Amino acid sequence: METSPKPVTVTIDSHQISVPENTTILEAARQHGIRIPTLCHHPALSAWGGCRLCVVEVDGNPRLTASCVMPVREGMNVVTTNDGIIAARRLILEFLYAERNHNCMFCSQSGDCELQALAYELQMDHLTVPQSFEAFPVDITSEYMAFDHNRCILCGRCVRACREIAGAYVLNYQKRGIQNQIAFDLDVSRSESSCLECGVCMQLCPTGAIFSRYRTHRSVLGHPKSARQVKDSFCTGCGLMCDTQLVIEENHVIRVDGCLHSDHDGPILGQLCARGRFEILKTPGHRLLTPMIRESDGTWNPSSWKVAMDRIEKNMNGFNMGIFGLVSSRCANEQIMIFRDMMLKGWKADYLNVLEGPSLRSIADAWTELGKTFLALKESHAGRILDADHVLVVGVSAFNTQPAIGGIIRRIVLEKGVPATVIGSVDAISPRTRHYIRVTPGKEPVLVQAFLAQVLKSQHQPGTPAWESVLSEFESIDIQKSLSLAGLDASDQEIFQSAVNTFAHSQSPIIIAGRGVMGRFGVNCLRHLMLLSLTKGILPENALRMIILKPDGNSTGSLKLGIPAGNTIYRPGAWQRGVMLLEDENLSDSLVLNRLNALDFLAVITPYFPEALADKAHVLIPRPVGLEEEGTYTSLNGQENRVRQAALDRPDQVSESWQTLLALIQRTEFHPGYARWKDIHTSVMREIRAG
Ligand code: SF4
Ligand code: SF4
Ligand code: SF4
Ligand code: FES
């Protein structure tokens, strides 16, 4: 039975304090509002005790003690501030300043630097020790972050963050003495290293050694901290809904921080990925603030709202064939629902899909197929990866869609020795993979089928009618032939066999399915992975031991709202008139562009001028960007719905998306049963919960 830690009574600066044993002096002081300065310490990281800035006097001992690593003991008497302690801290700080170039007027973090703040606090107005003039390198090989070794104080926070939060183990110390430096892997540049560009090292760096290359001009003098607002929010980039803190100045997000926490049981620990931390700071194009119409000579001209809306009504009403709607699944559920009703009920669209249509369709169809034998199951959540004793990653070329999942897998492989198997054309968790079964793209389905057939042969399943039908479906599979078809040579086949054995002997595996097993031919493969997961039983929450990495931030919301819908098999020329609802995507590489040539009419509702559609669309209607309006988003596994509040002010001339969509729907023959935001929200939540 667990016992709670014994209370210990200590005196800190003449205050008698009772704290649980094993609490450090620093924690005890902080819990009671007594400030001790720190540099290498951070509550989200393990304690290191390297910088000595936090020194205190214990029981009158003249040898000062680092309070961030020293636990309290009964009767301890601690003094946190006296002349000797301040002098010691100041000298430590002077040495840190003297070792490298901290002449910070050109530092992007100036005014926002813990080292600088401590110098002010300790009134360190000049150096009494000699200064080094050694020049250290600056690494600007990353698009997102720069690493200026001249500003580094070797506090190790980045090294620990990279290990303990990102699970990446990229950063370490290299060289010795005065040349001691933080290095990436075996001392290569950031771009050549295995860095994930998650930026958690940057968030935890107390100086300007690691700084963002986006919007840094906002950090320098003339933009005081007091002009900033910090708003709690969450990222809608991939369905993991990582908590964020948005630092906002003059209605611009200038920085996005992860919400770090010291609860090392949580799956994500406050990590963000490059998409959630940096990409969001990019401006995707020219902001659209007024409706626009393309004239017959191809030029785009601003128009009034009435003219643009009339043009849409005239070109969409009364046509019964070839109507299509495409919606970004980065939109909030409310926007997706009204758009769906407008297209299906208002304009009787033949085809309604998200931009990444085929992937989502295959997921929906796989669930339908599974539901014919096994009812009412759902997907697992990222936290379940932490309990896994085997991770099977299939069809993931890189963790681009849900980057934090890769970090969690790397952590459990390294920290707990959990074996990982990868099936696909790329080893997405190299070099941590136990079994890598390389197949050319498109061969994953045949290998997954063989994997399942082999597991079914080696592992007894319950004699229920559902399993009887699965067993009869798979008993005729020729595994050897499938392995040859998948292109596995003798040594690959050994790896395959070993991976199957590992899976068969595992108690709580988790399967991560990526884009390589989605699309037109992915339905069976996804269903086979679902069945593979079911061979290990379901989780207490009635979930499969499986996570499907969906293509976009609110893909699951789109699925729950019944999108894709209608005739989803595209025939060239079948689309004639349509409407698109976009978020911030750049469509220049999108496969959907080929389907938008020679249309009779295309209206696009979008926050930015869509360059890729400049010669395809006919009317553009502006809408706010995601952070300018409230909306509900559904988590990757479909079990959580969160409302994200507007964090930025919307331009006066742009209506909220729901109002624009409602104004359009009112120009159709369909009369929805909602007219206010509250009704729309209630309606969408009812559908999502039932979906
Ligand atoms: S880069 Fe920053 S966090 Fe890393 S050791 Fe240097 S000062 Fe500390
Ligand atoms: S960006 Fe992330 S992965 Fe790269 S060095 Fe920093 S913490 Fe490590
Ligand atoms: S992992 Fe997903 S939710 Fe988290 S920051 Fe990245 S894109 Fe956003
Ligand atoms: S903060 Fe305690 S040693 Fe650095």
Side-chain angles (χ1 to χ4, degrees):
M1 201 178 73
E2 265 187 36
T3 51
S4 35
K6 230 172 51 191
V8 172
T9 303
V10 289
T11 305
I12 303 184
D13 293 345
S14 308
H15 301 282
Q16 276 224 329
I17 286 170
S18 178
V19 288
E21 64 181 348
N22 297 326
T23 306
T24 62
I25 297 173
L26 178 70
E27 285 162 347
R30 285 189 173 171
Q31 281 166 22
H32 290 81
I34 299 168
R35 175 171 156 70
I36 299 175
T38 53
L39 261 181
C40 70
H41 176 82
H42 192 283
L45 301 172
S46 60
W48 181 49
C51 75
R52 319 305 283 180
L53 242 299
C54 64
V55 285
V56 293
E57 190 184 282
V58 174
D59 296 337
N61 193 330
R63 280 184 56 187
L64 300 177
T65 300
S67 61
C68 68
V69 284
M70 173 62 83
V72 293
R73 74 179 134 67
E74 185 63 39
M76 189 182 249
N77 186 10
V78 177
V79 175
T80 67
T81 316
N82 62 27
D83 289 348
I85 295 170
I86 290 173
R89 285 182 190 150
R90 208 186 117 142
L91 191 62
I92 292 164
L93 203 60
E94 281 193 42
F95 279 124
L96 289 178
Y97 264 86
E99 267 176 9
R100 301 212 177 169
N101 178 356
H102 294 286
N103 301 307
C104 289
M105 62 187 289
F106 303 111
C107 175
S108 66
Q109 292 299 107
S110 188
D112 203 3
C113 166
E114 290 180 41
L115 185 72
Q116 201 176 61
L118 276 174
Y120 285 122
E121 181 180 333
L122 295 172
Q123 298 178 5
M124 196 200 80
D125 51 8
H126 68 287
L127 292 185
T128 60
V129 295
Q131 167 116 40
S132 159
F133 293 98
E134 181 107 22
F136 287 85
V138 181
D139 181 335
I140 48 167
T141 58
S142 156
E143 176 191 345
Y144 303 115
M145 287 165 282
F147 199 130
D148 182 350
H149 292 271
N150 296 288
R151 314 284 190 212
C152 177
I153 54 169
L154 299 169
C155 69
R157 268 160 58 162
C158 56
V159 177
R160 281 170 285 149
C162 187
R163 285 180 190 166
E164 296 169 17
I165 297 176
Y169 291 75
V170 176
L171 296 177
N172 54 75
Y173 292 91
Q174 292 273 330
K175 305 189 179 125
R176 302 182 71 84
I178 188 74
Q179 292 299 333
N180 196 196
Q181 266 180 48
I182 303 298
F184 295 89
D185 293 336
L186 291 174
D187 206 6
V188 293
S189 69
R190 192 191 283 269
S191 65
E192 293 165 309
S193 76
S194 53
C195 170
L196 313 167
E197 303 200 300
C198 70
V200 70
C201 54
M202 181 188 83
Q203 182 176 336
L204 285 169
C205 176
T207 72
I210 311 177
F211 61 91
S212 170
R213 299 186 69 188
Y214 284 97
R215 305 198 179 174
T216 45
H217 59 288
R218 293 272 176 186
S219 307
V220 295
L221 212 62
H223 294 270
K225 263 184 165 178
S226 55
R228 295 180 197 165
Q229 290 174 290
V230 178
K231 292 190 179 171
D232 289 336
S233 187
F234 63 91
C235 176
T236 57
C238 77
L240 292 178
M241 304 202 293
C242 297
D243 289 317
T244 56
Q245 282 197 321
L246 306 175
V247 182
I248 296 167
E249 193 183 294
E250 292 171 353
N251 208 33
H252 291 283
V253 178
I254 60 165
R255 199 173 75 219
V256 182
D257 286 336
C259 293
L260 299 169
H261 50 91
S262 48
D263 165 15
H264 281 240
D265 291 333
I268 291 175
L269 304 176
Q271 186 191 1
L272 300 177
C273 69
R275 191 184 327 161
R277 191 187 295 276
F278 299 108
E279 291 285 330
I280 191 174
L281 301 178
K282 285 184 177 175
T283 308
H286 292 293
R287 191 70 196 270
L288 193 66
L289 294 173
T290 173
M292 295 189 85
I293 287 185
R294 182 157 61 102
E295 307 296 350
S296 49
D297 64 357
T299 55
W300 282 97
N301 285 325
S303 93
S304 70
W305 279 82
K306 177 164 184 334
V307 168
M309 300 292 259
D310 285 351
R311 187 75 65 102
I312 297 175
E313 181 180 342
K314 182 167 156 249
N315 281 281
M316 294 300 292
N317 281 5
F319 294 91
N320 298 323
M321 296 272 290
I323 307 289
F324 70 92
L326 286 172
V327 55
S328 158
S329 48
R330 295 179 190 175
C331 292
N333 288 324
E334 289 82 356
Q335 295 149 11
I336 295 172
M337 184 190 76
I338 313 175
F339 184 79
R340 178 203 64 189
D341 288 353
M342 180 177 82
M343 295 312 305
L344 291 181
K345 297 178 187 165
W347 285 318
K348 311 284 185 290
D350 309 302
Y351 183 105
L352 176 64
N353 214 331
V354 295
L355 293 169
E356 302 275 1
S359 308
L360 222 52
R361 176 91 239 176
S362 58
I363 299 170
D365 289 349
W367 279 111
T368 306
E369 286 300 310
L370 187 78
K372 292 177 183 168
T373 356
F374 296 92
L375 289 174
L377 293 167
K378 54 194 180 191
E379 271 180 63
S380 192
H381 58 89
R384 280 289 180 195
I385 302 174
L386 295 174
D387 307 326
D389 61 357
H390 182 208
V391 185
L392 175 59
V393 178
V394 188
V396 179
S397 55
F399 285 93
N400 289 336
T401 46
Q402 279 76 22
I405 298 269
I408 305 171
I409 296 174
R410 276 183 284 272
R411 265 178 32 224
I412 63 160
V413 170
L414 280 162
E415 291 166 14
K416 300 183 184 171
V418 171
T421 297
V422 174
I423 298 176
S425 55
V426 173
D427 184 356
I429 45 175
S430 169
R432 323 262 191 252
T433 315
R434 172 88 55 95
H435 306 104
Y436 174 39
I437 312 171
R438 183 196 300 275
V439 285
T440 51
K443 294 287 188 199
E444 291 95 343
V446 69
L447 198 62
V448 167
Q449 187 187 48
F451 200 104
L452 173 58
Q454 186 75 52
V455 169
L456 289 172
K457 275 192 199 329
S458 59
Q459 194 184 303
H460 177 72
Q461 297 304 324
T464 59
W467 276 112
E468 293 298 336
S469 91
V470 172
L471 290 172
S472 72
E473 180 186 338
F474 280 84
E475 66 193 358
S476 58
I477 300 286
D478 182 340
I479 294 172
Q480 196 53 46
K481 192 170 157 202
S482 300
L483 298 186
S484 303
L485 262 176
L488 267 55
D489 62 18
S491 94
D492 288 339
Q493 290 186 21
E494 264 180 46
I495 298 172
F496 171 87
Q497 201 51 56
S498 175
V500 168
N501 289 342
T502 308
F503 187 91
H505 286 103
S506 64
Q507 304 290 318
S508 56
I510 190 127
I511 299 170
I512 314 288
R515 293 290 284 280
V517 294
M518 294 176 204
R520 261 180 89 182
F521 305 106
V523 182
N524 271 338
C525 190
L526 282 169
R527 176 175 163 267
H528 292 161
L529 287 170
M530 290 169 175
L531 291 171
L532 187 63
S533 148
L534 277 172
T535 62
K536 296 293 170 182
I538 55 172
L539 291 162
E541 62 270 23
N542 219 26
L544 296 178
R545 299 171 190 278
M546 180 162 168
I547 295 173
I548 304 175
L549 305 184
K550 312 204 178 55
D552 232 325
N554 201 21
S555 296
T556 311
S558 305
L559 275 174
K560 286 191 165 253
L561 290 168
I563 301 173
N567 179 8
T568 52
I569 307 292
Y570 172 76
R571 282 179 298 103
W575 293 6
Q576 291 162 15
R577 293 164 190 276
V579 183
M580 294 173 76
L581 177 65
L582 301 183
E583 177 61 50
D584 57 358
E585 35 279 285
N586 173 352
L587 295 175
S588 56
D589 295 330
S590 173
L591 296 176
V592 90
L593 286 181
N594 296 332
R595 302 180 176 191
L596 303 177
N597 293 322
L599 296 174
D600 291 339
F601 181 74
L602 176 63
V604 185
I605 306 166
T606 170
Y608 298 98
F609 184 88
E611 296 291 347
L613 302 176
D615 60 346
K616 301 184 185 338
H618 300 88
V619 176
L620 302 178
I621 299 285
R623 57 164 294 211
V625 298
L627 282 172
E628 289 170 352
E629 53 188 354
E630 183 180 335
T632 310
Y633 297 82
T634 301
S635 64
L636 187 65
N637 69 348
Q639 302 311 307
E640 197 189 348
N641 298 294
R642 289 179 73 181
V643 178
R644 189 171 72 171
Q645 300 298 335
L648 300 175
D649 298 332
R650 145 179 77 81
D652 290 341
Q653 59 272 55
V654 178
S655 306
E656 288 192 57
S657 299
W658 69 272
Q659 290 171 324
T660 300
L661 290 165
L662 217 54
L664 274 175
I665 217 171
Q666 278 155 2
R667 288 165 176 261
T668 73
E669 286 174 7
F670 173 64
H671 301 292
Y674 44 74
R676 297 171 307 161
W677 171 255
K678 199 164 149 256
D679 305 331
I680 295 165
H681 177 69
T682 309
S683 193
V684 90
M685 289 317 297
R686 198 181 307 121
E687 275 201 48
I688 292 268
R689 289 197 179 111

